[in-house]
Amino acid sequence: MTQKHTPWTTIVLLALAACGGGSDAPTTPTTPATPTTPTTPTTPTTTASPLRELAAAKGRSFGVALDAKFFANDAAYNALVAREFDMVVAGNVMKWEPLNRNGRFTYRWANPDALVAFAQTNGMKVRGHTLAWHQQNPTWLTGATWSADTLRQLLKEHVDSVVGHYKGKIHAWDVVNEALNDGSGSLRTTGSPWAPALGRDYIDVAFTEARRVDPGALLFYNDYNLEFPGAKQDSAFALIQGMKARNVPIDGIGFQAHLQVGGGATAPSRQALVNTFNRFAALGLKIEITELDVRVRTPGATAADLAAQAQAYGDVVAACLAVSACDAILVWGVNDGESWINTTFPGWGQALLFDDALGTKATYTAVRTALGG
Ligand code: G3I
């Protein structure tokens, strides 16, 4: 295979030298060793273009969420990530609790810094996930009662600290994640540190502050179950319409696309996705599929389930390619075994592109085919 870029084996050797350790405790990223040309460069085992090259040829990014396995410095895993993907997002370490669990003014930057360093070494964009959410908030925040004014200040302070720390290094921020209730699409207040006291105003505060701190980062609203028409999708549309009317800065919408097929569940068709993406693109928004996975019954997936799963992956990619405002697709994990699905939806799984031996699956082939590979 003619290398169109620095041999990924060299890139990965440099990247691994820049990566932090692998545990939940913050590790100080090792300073990158002086780049050395491998004495016996290993020939990549695959001759086919990786997903990142196929996507780039279509003007898209194809990315992945990274979590504990990445920080464990698994060389084969990280080499696969560097080879196949050109965008990364932290599955956890950039969220408020992992960053700020030790106190209001102490931030655990080591692991997210190592992820950003790996991305920079490997020519990858970084999605920042996430600044304001109802989950994974530190106990010092959720365990106290704050006035509305203080809550606004705390939110601005967090945005200033995190967006400021990564200024110029983030392609897009999920500024606000999952602000709407499932079903009705009403404003989510349960579990939210923000909405009970501030209502929807917290959303405006977060987006406005993020723009002020890093004007170069795209600002996204991110949510799930928006892929299907209905009250929640309508509510998200109205939310963003209102933000636009108030001149609150917002650049895009993230469709998480946590999909399920089999046992009566179906994924949205290619055309249904195109219609949805075009609906939001008409607001002047970029579209990104931010957390794609397609779960099937595990154990017990039938051949028809697996075929429908591959079809769903292909349809999401095809729909993104059919809508010019769609510029990125990210899968929420590398291999099936690391997926959040396994612990959240017992009896479901096998949701990703690679098996636990890091071999490609029919879902990977479906993505390749849809990308023109
Ligand atoms: O960091 C702690 C660690 O200190 C502790 O020892 C360990 C055992 O209790 O828990 C660790 O935290 C876990 C964290 O993942 C990091 O591994 C949390 O318990 C666990 O709940 C958390 O799960 C994450 C989940 O969000 C939280 O809702 C998943 O990994 C992550 O993939 C998932 O991602 C979300 C997106 O952010 C938003 N969209 C939905 C998606 C799936 O829920």
Side-chain angles (χ1 to χ4, degrees):
M1 177 178 97
T2 34
Q3 293 284 358
K4 296 194 183 79
H5 47 75
T6 312
W8 59 267
T9 42
T10 308
I11 287 176
V12 171
L13 287 174
L14 297 182
L16 291 177
C19 270
S23 77
D24 207 43
T27 51
T28 313
T30 45
T31 44
T34 315
T36 52
T37 310
T39 47
T40 50
T42 45
T43 311
T45 51
T46 169
T47 53
S49 296
L51 298 181
R52 67 182 288 174
E53 286 186 13
L54 296 172
K58 302 284 189 184
R60 278 28 179 212
S61 293
F62 201 94
V64 65
L66 299 178
D67 210 352
K69 276 193 78 163
F70 169 75
F71 296 105
N73 260 339
D74 177 329
Y77 179 96
N78 290 9
L80 182 158
V81 170
R83 181 179 73 247
E84 294 290 341
F85 302 102
D86 67 354
M87 187 177 280
V88 290
V89 60
N92 281 291
V93 296
M94 270 194 200
K95 294 170 179 175
W96 203 319
E97 194 279 341
L99 274 174
N100 220 187
R101 68 173 55 154
N102 293 334
R104 175 175 172 183
F105 301 106
T106 60
Y107 281 86
R108 300 169 355 125
W109 299 122
N111 278 346
D113 284 358
L115 183 145
V116 171
F118 176 86
Q120 292 181 324
T121 302
N122 289 286
M124 298 163 141
K125 293 178 180 176
V126 181
R127 295 196 90 258
H129 179 81
T130 179
L131 298 173
W133 189 25
H134 66 281
Q135 293 192 36
Q136 290 181 269
N137 291 298
T139 52
W140 65 260
L141 175 67
T142 58
T145 303
W146 310 94
S147 70
D149 285 348
T150 304
L151 279 172
R152 278 190 193 88
Q153 179 52 36
L154 288 170
L155 182 52
K156 287 180 181 178
E157 190 178 275
H158 183 67
V159 172
D160 292 354
S161 300
V162 180
V163 176
H165 183 81
Y166 292 112
K167 183 173 180 178
K169 300 176 180 176
I170 301 294
H171 153 74
W173 277 105
D174 289 335
V175 176
V176 169
N177 191 50
E178 302 174 11
L180 303 175
N181 285 312
D182 248 345
S184 68
S186 58
L187 183 71
R188 184 194 295 268
T189 52
T190 305
S192 171
W194 319 111
L198 301 179
R200 290 169 182 257
D201 187 43
Y202 86 92
I203 300 171
D204 292 8
V205 167
F207 275 87
T208 302
E209 195 66 10
R211 175 70 94 228
R212 187 187 69 78
V213 177
D214 187 357
L218 295 173
L219 306 181
F220 273 67
Y221 173 71
N222 193 52
D223 212 332
Y224 65 95
N225 285 354
L226 301 182
E227 301 81 20
F228 295 89
K232 188 174 185 180
Q233 187 189 104
D234 294 345
S235 179
F237 188 84
L239 172 72
I240 296 170
Q241 262 186 326
M243 291 171 70
K244 291 272 187 184
R246 296 189 300 278
N247 294 315
V248 175
I250 179 168
D251 304 302
I253 182 164
F255 291 87
Q256 291 183 14
H258 292 297
L259 305 177
Q260 172 184 2
V261 294
T266 57
S269 69
R270 175 194 173 285
Q271 190 55 51
L273 289 168
V274 168
N275 296 342
T276 293
F277 296 165
N278 278 328
R279 182 187 187 193
F280 285 86
L283 291 176
L285 296 174
K286 286 188 179 296
I287 309 291
E288 294 190 352
I289 292 101
T290 52
E291 308 182 13
L292 179 57
D293 47 37
V294 184
R295 57 187 183 270
V296 294
R297 287 174 290 187
T298 301
T302 65
D305 291 346
L306 297 176
Q309 180 191 41
Q311 182 68 46
Y313 266 104
D315 287 344
V316 170
V317 172
C320 180
L321 296 182
V323 177
S324 58
C326 182
D327 68 359
I329 301 167
L330 299 94
V331 287
W332 201 248
V334 174
N335 63 293
D336 290 340
E338 69 168 340
S339 171
W340 69 289
I341 299 282
N342 306 323
T343 51
T344 309
F345 298 102
W348 294 85
Q350 301 175 76
L352 295 168
L353 303 181
F354 296 89
D355 62 29
D356 292 346
L358 301 185
T360 58
K361 298 165 52 186
T363 50
Y364 176 92
T365 304
V367 168
R368 283 190 62 80
T369 302
L371 287 172

